[in-house]
Amino acid sequence: MDKLLSVIIPVYNVEQYLTKCLQSILDGEEKTLARIEVLIIDDGSTDSSGVIADEFARKYPCVRVIHKQNAGVAAARNTGLCSARGKWLYFVDSDDWLEKDGVKGICRTVCACPDADVLFMESYYNMGQSQKEWVHFSENADLTGPADIRRLQGGILYAPIYRRTRNDPMGAPWDKVYRRDFLEANHLRFGEHLRVLDDMVFNFEVMGAAKHVACRKLKPYHYRRFVADSITNTYKPDRVVQDRVVWEYLFSLKVWDGTDTDILKRAMMCRIVKSFSICCRLCFFNRDNRKPLRQKLLYVRQVMSSEPYHRAFWSVRLSDLEWRLKIVALCGRLRSGWMMCLLHIAQEAVSALSGQKLNS
């Protein structure tokens, strides 16, 4: 029997967080649970995550667990997408959680906009004891005009392109609900060949195909941001290589050949500058990078001079960038590895101070 909503949860070694995630979805009214299915995709977990998932499946008839070999989050999401029976699909990360009656609110909202291809919502951002709102919209809106949706598509790559006053990322799947037949008709899947930014790329393609996006100031979701020493700052020596696969794929899409693509091209240049900045933290100057400083600076200069980074530094509109990335772009134009290193040190110091305030 088809359901209104399929909640798809990729799971890999999250025994510490999974129970809270599942309880936040399933501790609702029986009437709501009867309208949904919860698909837990155990992506080859080696801890007790799979056992926890099976326990919830025995307790709740609406829960299904699929155990599979580890293949990454994109493949896990695609497994859920292909197995789902709901009219609408909602992706949840297994270390996050939902507001009380969050699923009920989502069900109510999709029923009120049955013709939308995508429901785009907002969320909460939690780090330690701190919580803030991630805001995308000034008010509820239904976007049906090509120019409006194109601008939103640009925001998937770089949020300030869509809303200048905010920089809350828009590329994640957990603040959106997708009509299943829309995804199937447009053959939209997560890129399993991408090791990073697969969710951003997926949503970029989704917005490229959408004809009706319902934007609602509904906040059912809590995104858990880990502290500075977590996996989000793990040394990734091949991050530049991983990013290049993303740029190659995005530039291969036909969207750049269409009309009124200026906003997308501007967003793309901003995204590349932003990703270069992220590489400073995860790759070039990460504390676990034991290479000599001279070698680090040489690599930074090589990447700065290569495409698409060189083109992005010189063609990006500085007025499109937040102040920090303006400095990154200027350092890139000067091909100054030393300036980029000093900027990274300053940013790390500011982040450390902010982290102390969050945890005090």
Side-chain angles (χ1 to χ4, degrees):
M1 178 180 176
D2 288 348
K3 299 286 186 175
L4 175 65
L5 181 71
S6 295
V7 182
I8 299 170
I9 311 171
V11 168
Y12 180 72
N13 289 356
V14 285
E15 60 184 6
Q16 183 178 354
Y17 308 105
L18 184 57
T19 297
K20 179 175 181 176
C21 174
L22 295 176
Q23 285 180 339
S24 72
I25 296 167
L26 295 164
D27 285 353
E29 300 174 355
E30 289 188 13
K31 182 178 179 182
T32 299
L33 296 183
R35 306 178 77 186
I36 72 170
E37 65 170 354
V38 178
L39 295 178
I40 305 173
I41 315 301
D42 175 23
D43 190 33
S45 295
T46 57
D47 65 0
S48 62
S49 297
V51 174
I52 295 170
D54 288 336
E55 290 175 352
F56 272 87
R58 284 191 288 270
K59 184 177 180 181
Y60 295 92
C62 63
V63 175
R64 283 195 287 148
V65 181
I66 299 175
H67 298 280
K68 60 185 291 295
Q69 288 187 336
N70 178 257
V73 65
R77 286 171 175 154
N78 286 337
T79 297
L81 194 159
C82 294
S83 305
R85 296 192 290 254
K87 180 178 179 181
W88 294 85
L89 306 183
Y90 183 45
F91 296 95
V92 172
D93 284 356
S94 52
D95 50 4
D96 299 333
W97 71 95
L98 269 65
E99 277 279 279
K100 180 176 174 58
D101 293 326
V103 173
K104 180 179 179 180
I106 292 172
C107 290
R108 184 189 306 119
T109 304
V110 295
C111 286
C113 50
D115 297 326
D117 297 317
V118 184
L119 167 64
F120 204 143
M121 307 173 292
E122 298 179 334
S123 62
Y124 295 99
Y125 170 102
N126 295 80
M127 182 173 176
Q129 300 301 312
S130 173
Q131 174 174 294
K132 72 171 187 176
E133 296 181 344
W134 268 10
V135 178
H136 300 317
F137 316 109
S138 56
E139 59 185 2
N140 291 342
D142 285 272
L143 305 184
T144 56
D148 290 334
I149 295 178
R150 185 62 59 89
R151 185 162 157 260
L152 183 62
Q153 187 182 15
I156 298 296
L157 296 178
Y158 185 66
I161 282 287
Y162 180 73
R163 191 174 182 204
R164 296 289 301 175
T165 56
R166 303 288 301 200
N167 189 25
D168 299 328
M170 304 178 76
W174 36 254
D175 55 7
K176 303 165 189 69
V177 190
Y178 310 88
R179 207 178 73 243
R180 178 162 63 96
D181 60 0
F182 158 73
L183 295 183
E184 292 176 345
N186 290 279
H187 310 288
L188 294 165
R189 296 289 186 272
F190 291 88
E192 297 181 25
H193 66 294
L194 302 176
R195 293 178 59 192
V196 296
L197 301 176
D198 57 280
D199 48 359
M200 181 194 77
V201 172
F202 172 76
N203 282 305
F204 182 78
E205 294 190 86
V206 164
M207 296 304 162
K211 299 293 188 291
H212 179 182
V213 180
C215 304
R216 297 292 183 268
K217 293 190 67 63
L218 176 69
K219 297 181 180 66
Y221 196 88
H222 288 265
Y223 166 64
R224 187 195 302 270
R225 175 67 183 268
F226 292 95
V227 294
D229 289 332
S230 75
I231 193 171
T232 57
N233 285 282
T234 300
Y235 178 41
K236 296 179 174 62
D238 61 343
R239 179 58 191 251
V240 174
V241 176
Q242 295 173 12
D243 283 348
R244 288 190 192 280
V245 178
V246 175
W247 312 143
E248 182 178 353
Y249 179 77
L250 286 174
F251 281 126
S252 74
L253 300 177
K254 295 181 179 180
V255 65
W256 311 106
D257 300 327
T259 58
D260 301 323
T261 60
D262 178 67
I263 194 72
L264 297 185
K265 293 174 182 175
R266 288 165 52 194
M268 185 66 173
M269 296 300 101
C270 292
R271 177 67 242 190
I272 293 170
V273 172
K274 180 176 180 177
S275 288
F276 183 91
S277 177
I278 292 172
C279 285
C280 288
R281 173 169 53 88
L282 299 183
C283 178
F284 307 140
F285 306 118
N286 187 277
R287 68 183 64 178
D288 292 324
N289 183 351
R290 304 302 183 188
K291 296 177 181 177
L293 179 58
R294 182 178 179 181
Q295 191 172 343
K296 294 178 185 177
L297 296 176
L298 177 62
Y299 183 44
V300 172
R301 283 173 58 86
Q302 289 173 343
V303 176
M304 285 177 172
S305 302
S306 66
E307 298 299 347
Y309 301 99
H310 179 265
R311 174 156 57 106
F313 290 139
W314 283 99
S315 63
V316 70
R317 294 187 186 181
L318 294 181
S319 59
D320 285 339
L321 295 170
E322 57 198 285
W323 70 266
R324 176 177 56 87
L325 295 183
K326 284 181 170 66
I327 302 174
V328 171
L330 291 173
C331 292
R333 292 179 184 183
L334 295 171
R335 294 182 64 240
S336 176
W338 274 110
M339 289 179 62
M340 202 69 76
C341 181
L342 293 173
L343 177 61
H344 169 74
I345 293 171
Q347 290 175 345
E348 290 295 290
V350 171
S351 297
L353 290 173
S354 300
Q356 289 176 4
K357 291 179 181 178
L358 284 172
N359 295 302
S360 62

